[in-house]
């Protein structure tokens, strides 16, 4: 089911890596927010912000 | 050296983001352009599809050029060329000339493979998935940001937008040229330049694993850009009654509702892409190889398994889209679309976490082939979707008749336990 490849050799990440992971987390939150808004709109239609037009 | 590596990633990402913004800026202003030149629906469709025309061939050439001349020069040339033509298009009053100029500006979309090559030349194998994911995912969202912000900033003044987009592209091009560096060290740069000859190109194009990755990218990115163009019309027609019931009764209202539902795919597929690269790194770190048939002892075997999982999920999501559509539930269709977009991002991120590792000496040529030919999916899939008698059935047909064979080929090509890149249509290996 699993194997040891890189896990056998310790891997050192640069200091950039944790910021990169934080940044991709923020990007995912934006995508989730857009998805949640769209789903909300499927239930509420014109009542969904900024659906008033 | 470490900060320089990050600087190169930032330069490539900003350059690609701007190129993506320019690539889809014509679509963002298509209602204004249509009104200005009195275009009918067929002419509007032609204008929209023209954005993808240059991608298959252009990306192949751009990949080769980035290996040959280095990414900074190639990217700067793309930004400068597209920027100048974008500025010119802002002063054009003849539609035929404007159409031709916007086709040239759409060449900006080929920059993807140049940045992929650039990032691959700087980052090591254990962090390549996250680095490539951050580059491509952040850059891809330029399409969504453009569609969201450009009409709000410029209104119907698309001429002004084209001039500003072009002028800023020139500035980014200059920055790329001055601060960009082609590779981490001279050895990597030399290997890429030597590997970009005709023999190297034929070698990559004939490898089974390269063809499998190209088909995997057609199943993911090719599908993503196809859905960008297809989904607004799909929701407007396939769920017209449900949208009317929500209170969107005017043409503009239906467009807003359909566009909002369709945006789910664009945002999730773009913004989850870095996460997909991170997951590829995680599979690699933990050594996970759960799938049968696919190689388990290759140094990058877990990444092959992660991509295999992504391709299975995409195929299942296509069938789920058909099922949700046939059920008539708008809520279910949008919910499935969220999962669909995430699975597509797994495919795009998973593919380009592998490409630089399989062809380390030919990253540009490989990225050009895999990232170029696959974009033809953006033209082919909408034809399948539109050709179905029932508007919801096209996803299932594409999954059964295209994705299942692609998936089987991937499993077959990824089964070699030693040097899969040596197996191809012929066994000739070019001199290094």
């Amino acid at each position: 089911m699993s194997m040891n490849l890189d896990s056998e050799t310790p891997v050192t990440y640069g200091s950039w890596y944790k910021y990169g992971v934080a940044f991709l987390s923020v990007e995912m939150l934006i995508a989730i927010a857009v998805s949640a808004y769209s789903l909300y709109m499927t239930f509420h239609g014109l009542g969904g912000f900024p659906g008033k037009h | 050296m470490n900060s320089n590596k990050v600087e190169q990633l930032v330069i490539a990402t900003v350059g690609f983001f701007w190129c993506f913004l320019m690539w889809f800026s014509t679509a963002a202003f298509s209602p204004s352009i249509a009104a200005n030149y009195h275009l009918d629906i067929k002419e509007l469709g032609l204008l929209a599809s023209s954005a993808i025309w240059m991608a298959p061939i252009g990306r192949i050439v751009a990949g080769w050029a980035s290996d040959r001349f280095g990414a900074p020069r190639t990217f700067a040339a793309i930004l400068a060329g597209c920027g100048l033509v974008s500025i010119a298009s802002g002063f054009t009053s003849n539609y035929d000339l404007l159409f031709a100029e916007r086709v040239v500006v759409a060449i900006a979309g080929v920059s993807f493979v140049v940045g992929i090559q650039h990032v691959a030349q700087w980052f090591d194998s254990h962090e390549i998935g996250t680095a490539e994911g951050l580059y491509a995912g952040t850059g891809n969202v330029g399409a969504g940001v453009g569609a969201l912000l450009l009409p709000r900033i410029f209104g119907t003044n698309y001429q002004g937008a084209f001039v500003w987009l072009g002028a800023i592209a020139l500035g980014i091009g200059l920055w790329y040229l001055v601060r960009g560096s082609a590779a981490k060290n001279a050895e990597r740069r030399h290997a890429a330049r030597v590997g970009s000859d005709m023999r190297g190109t034929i070698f990559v194009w004939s490898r089974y694993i390269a063809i499998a990755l190209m088909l995997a990218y057609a199943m993911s990115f090719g599908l993503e850009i196809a859905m960008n163009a297809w989904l607004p019309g799909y929701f407007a027609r396939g769920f017209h009654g449900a949208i009317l019931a929500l209170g969107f009764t005017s043409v503009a209202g239906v467009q807003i509702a359909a566009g909002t539902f369709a945006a789910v795919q664009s945002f999730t597929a773009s913004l989850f892409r870095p996460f997909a690269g991170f997951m590829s790194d995680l599979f690699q770190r933990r050594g996970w190889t759960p799938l049968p048939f696919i190689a388990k002892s290759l140094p990058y075997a877990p990444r092959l398994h992660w991509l295999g999982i992504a391709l299975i999920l995409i195929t299942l999501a296509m069938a789920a889209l058909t099922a949700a559509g046939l059920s008539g539930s708008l809520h279910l269709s949008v919910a499935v679309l969220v999962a669909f977009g995430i699975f597509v991002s797994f495919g795009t991120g998973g593919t380009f976490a592998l490409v630089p590792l399989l062809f380390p000496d030919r990253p540009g040529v490989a990225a050009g082939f895999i990232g170029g030919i696959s974009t033809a999916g953006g033209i082919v899939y909408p034809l399948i979707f539109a050709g179905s008698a029932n508007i919801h059935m096209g996803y299932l047909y594409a999954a059964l008749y295209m994705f299942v064979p692609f998936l089987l080929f991937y499993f077959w090509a990824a089964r070699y336990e030693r040097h899969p890149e040596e197996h191809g249509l012929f066994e000739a290996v070019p001199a290094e």
Side-chain angles (χ1 to χ4, degrees), chain B residues 304-342:
Chain B
L304 288 170
H305 284 254
W306 166 241
L307 180 56
I309 290 168
L311 299 182
I312 292 169
L313 290 173
I314 291 170
T315 306
L316 293 175
M318 290 284 274
L321 269 182
T322 291
L326 291 175
S327 78
S329 170
L330 180 60
H331 319 304
L332 185 60
S333 283
V334 174
V336 169
L337 200 60
V338 175
F340 174 89
I342 293 171

Side-chain angles (χ1 to χ4, degrees), chain B residues 62-100:
Chain B
W64 168 82
S66 56
D67 276 349
R68 193 74 178 171
F69 306 111
R73 288 184 196 170
T74 309
F75 217 128
I78 293 169
L79 281 161
C82 295
L84 286 172
V85 178
S86 182
I87 292 170
S89 69
F91 296 97
T92 300
S93 56
N94 176 287
Y95 178 69
D96 292 337
L97 181 58
L98 179 71
F99 183 91

Side-chain angles (χ1 to χ4, degrees), chain B residues 8-381:
Chain B
Q8 300 305 312
L9 178 61
V10 171
I11 294 171
T13 304
V14 171
F16 182 45
F17 176 88
W18 205 258
C19 279
F20 234 77
L21 203 58
M22 286 202 293
W23 190 13
F24 288 102
S25 59
T26 311
F29 289 107
S30 57
S32 305
I33 296 171
N36 198 18
Y37 290 100
H38 309 291
L39 304 182
D40 60 28
I41 188 70
K42 285 184 179 174
E43 289 169 318
L44 198 57
L46 196 65
L47 182 66
S49 76
S50 67
I52 305 174
W53 291 358
M54 302 303 289
I57 298 297
R59 286 188 167 194
I60 293 164
V61 175
W64 168 82
S66 56
D67 276 349
R68 193 74 178 171
F69 306 111
R73 288 184 196 170
T74 309
F75 217 128
I78 293 169
L79 281 161
C82 295
L84 286 172
V85 178
S86 182
I87 292 170
S89 69
F91 296 97
T92 300
S93 56
N94 176 287
Y95 178 69
D96 292 337
L97 181 58
L98 179 71
F99 183 91
E101 286 170 335
R102 298 314 296 176
V103 169
V104 174
V105 173
I107 290 174
V110 311
S111 62
F112 165 72
V113 296
V114 184
I116 284 285
Q117 193 268 5
H118 191 188
V119 175
Q121 291 284 79
W122 275 92
F123 285 82
D124 295 325
S125 61
H126 63 281
E127 53 192 18
I128 194 80
T130 306
E132 296 284 22
L134 281 168
Y135 158 77
T138 312
N140 275 358
V141 85
V145 170
L148 207 63
L149 296 184
L150 287 176
R152 285 172 169 78
I153 295 171
F154 292 95
T156 57
N157 180 22
Y158 64 86
Q159 298 96 333
F162 292 164
V163 170
W164 272 105
L165 287 168
I168 294 172
L170 292 179
I172 296 172
L174 185 64
W175 177 41
Y176 213 127
L177 200 59
V178 171
R179 295 296 303 173
S181 178
K184 185 178 182 180
N185 52 51
E187 289 75 24
R188 281 196 188 187
R189 177 74 200 102
H190 177 71
R193 187 186 292 123
V194 170
S196 66
D197 61 5
M198 184 54 74
R199 292 184 70 189
T201 302
I202 294 170
F203 172 76
V204 170
W205 282 52
S206 62
R207 301 302 92 189
Y208 296 137
I209 192 65
I211 295 169
L213 289 178
M214 184 271 289
L215 295 175
Y217 208 57
M219 281 178 68
S220 48
F221 185 72
L223 183 60
E224 180 183 335
I225 57 175
M227 294 295 258
N228 282 343
W230 166 255
L231 281 174
Y234 168 70
F235 277 110
R237 289 184 180 207
F239 294 93
H240 192 72
I243 290 174
L244 289 178
L246 284 169
F248 297 95
T249 50
S250 67
V251 174
V254 172
Q255 280 183 351
I256 287 173
T260 305
F261 302 144
V264 165
Q265 193 266 159
S266 176
F267 271 82
T268 49
S270 298
L271 293 178
F272 269 86
R273 184 168 176 159
F275 173 72
F278 170 78
M279 283 298 293
S280 181
D281 286 350
L282 184 68
F283 261 63
Q284 183 67 30
R285 200 161 56 241
R286 299 287 170 84
W288 291 336
T289 55
L291 296 177
F293 306 116
I294 295 178
K296 293 180 185 292
S297 59
L298 286 167
Y300 43 79
R303 296 187 191 276
L304 288 170
H305 284 254
W306 166 241
L307 180 56
I309 290 168
L311 299 182
I312 292 169
L313 290 173
I314 291 170
T315 306
L316 293 175
M318 290 284 274
L321 269 182
T322 291
L326 291 175
S327 78
S329 170
L330 180 60
H331 319 304
L332 185 60
S333 283
V334 174
V336 169
L337 200 60
V338 175
F340 174 89
I342 293 171
F343 296 159
V344 165
S345 81
F346 290 175
T348 55
T351 303
F352 273 91
L354 270 164
V355 173
L357 302 177
L358 274 158
F359 300 98
D361 296 337
R362 301 173 183 84
V365 169
F369 171 62
I370 293 162
I373 305 289
S374 55
T375 55
I379 302 166
V380 173
Y381 300 138

Side-chain angles (χ1 to χ4, degrees), chain A residues 3 5 7 11 13 27 38 42, chain B residues 126 138 260 285 287 296 302 331:
Chain A
M3 59 183 297
L5 292 167
S7 55
V11 173
Y13 291 102
E27 291 192 321
S38 291
T42 66
Chain B
H126 63 281
T138 312
T260 305
R285 200 161 56 241
K296 293 180 185 292
H331 319 304

Side-chain angles (χ1 to χ4, degrees), chain A residues 6-44:
Chain A
D6 285 1
S7 55
E8 288 182 345
T9 44
V11 173
T12 309
Y13 291 102
S15 56
W16 75 275
Y17 197 77
K18 62 176 182 287
Y19 296 109
V21 173
F23 190 73
L24 70 85
S25 303
V26 171
E27 291 192 321
M28 284 191 294
L29 285 177
I30 294 170
I32 290 167
V34 171
S35 301
Y37 167 63
S38 291
L39 266 174
Y40 177 77
M41 209 165 107
T42 66
F43 287 100
H44 297 273

